[in-house]
Amino acid sequence: DAGVTQSPTHLIKTRGQQVTLRCSPKSGHDTVSWYQQALGQGPQFIFQYYEEEERQRGNFPDRFSGHQFPNYSSELNVNALLLGDSALYLCASSFQGRTQETQYFGPGTRLLVL
Amino acid sequence: GESVGLHLPTLSVQEGDNSIINCAYSNSASDYFIWYKQESGKGPQFIIDIRSNMDKRQGQRVTVLLNKTVKHLSLQIAATQPGDSAVYFCAEGAAAGNKLTFGGGTRVLVKP
């Protein structure tokens, strides 16, 4: 049973560029949440996707956008990259159902903006 | 606003001893609390969770205590092992599948 997978593992971009990160949820999960984790800090919630729609959003600008596909996988897009966007981007999946389940995290994508 | 914080940024413990990691939360509306372990270069790994209708929950070598009166959460690790060395995060949310708010983390160092 595969857990949450993310790609790529590492990425280097320059300021002003755009980036797309990908996430495949754990088997049986239908909800994907994205978090940003700066070095030495706890993860910060970006947004959550369920039934291909953004369901919740944290305090992140519109430069951060996402998408969920019919197979429940998800993408995180960041436009006009800033140096401060350098971080570990984490994807977490869960199953809504009747009894909400714990969110399980993937290994993350390390983004460096130069 | 919502926030989850930790009292001790670093905890050094002797192998075999018990560890206690503390966490304070500020959102009284939170109904779900969870502890994650994060090793260097990896994503957070689920340890144990608890809902607000409980005050204690036990897992394998771990126990989570919830005190809603003082908005305090703790993680107890029994017989700490070298593999327990990591950063531990507490997080809270309205429900298990909802947005989680994380604290800043506590680093646990296990001395042989």
Side-chain angles (χ1 to χ4, degrees):
Chain A
D1 180 23
V4 181
T5 60
Q6 294 186 243
S7 64
T9 55
H10 296 82
L11 203 52
I12 300 176
K13 292 286 188 178
T14 56
R15 282 179 298 174
Q17 285 190 310
Q18 178 266 344
V19 68
T20 298
L21 311 181
R22 296 175 177 82
C23 171
S24 291
K26 181 176 163 61
S27 178
H29 285 184
D30 58 7
T31 302
V32 172
S33 301
W34 286 93
Y35 292 80
Q36 179 195 68
Q37 186 177 24
L39 199 60
Q41 298 182 20
Q44 298 288 315
F45 177 79
I46 302 175
F47 43 52
Q48 182 181 82
Y49 277 84
Y50 172 64
E51 293 188 336
E52 302 180 47
E53 292 188 354
E54 183 182 290
R55 203 174 76 143
Q56 287 185 295
R57 189 179 183 93
N59 295 323
F60 280 81
D62 292 344
R63 297 187 298 110
F64 291 76
S65 63
H67 188 77
Q68 185 179 33
F69 299 94
N71 66 353
Y72 308 119
S73 66
S74 177
E75 289 182 349
L76 164 65
N77 300 293
V78 186
N79 294 322
L81 284 167
L82 304 174
L83 296 179
D85 294 332
S86 294
L88 180 67
Y89 287 85
L90 295 162
C91 167
S93 74
S94 57
F95 175 67
Q96 294 302 308
R98 293 184 178 181
T99 302
Q100 294 182 336
E101 291 187 358
T102 299
Q103 294 180 42
Y104 291 90
F105 282 84
T109 294
R110 175 75 63 186
L111 173 64
L112 177 61
V113 182
L114 301 176
Chain B
E2 302 169 4
S3 67
V4 177
L6 297 174
H7 298 306
L8 300 173
T10 303
L11 177 66
S12 186
V13 60
Q14 200 70 38
E15 181 179 356
D17 288 352
N18 296 334
S19 302
I20 299 177
I21 308 168
N22 296 301
C23 177
Y25 66 93
S26 61
N27 188 354
S28 57
S30 292
D31 186 52
Y32 176 77
F33 305 87
I34 186 169
W35 283 97
Y36 286 98
K37 170 187 178 183
Q38 188 172 27
E39 297 173 283
S40 181
K42 297 183 179 180
Q45 176 188 354
F46 169 78
I47 301 174
I48 192 168
D49 59 3
I50 188 169
R51 285 168 173 76
S52 62
N53 61 350
M54 303 173 68
D55 53 21
K56 179 178 180 179
R57 192 170 186 215
Q58 290 184 292
Q60 187 177 12
R61 285 202 304 119
V62 294
T63 300
V64 56
L65 300 177
L66 175 63
N67 186 329
K68 295 180 287 293
T69 301
V70 294
K71 298 179 187 172
H72 185 266
L73 189 70
S74 69
L75 176 69
Q76 300 177 2
I77 305 173
T80 311
Q81 303 169 358
D84 295 328
S85 292
V87 177
Y88 290 79
F89 292 98
C90 66
E92 51 94 5
N98 284 17
K99 161 190 173 181
L100 292 176
T101 299
F102 283 78
T106 292
R107 181 174 300 281
V108 172
L109 298 175
V110 181
K111 297 178 290 185

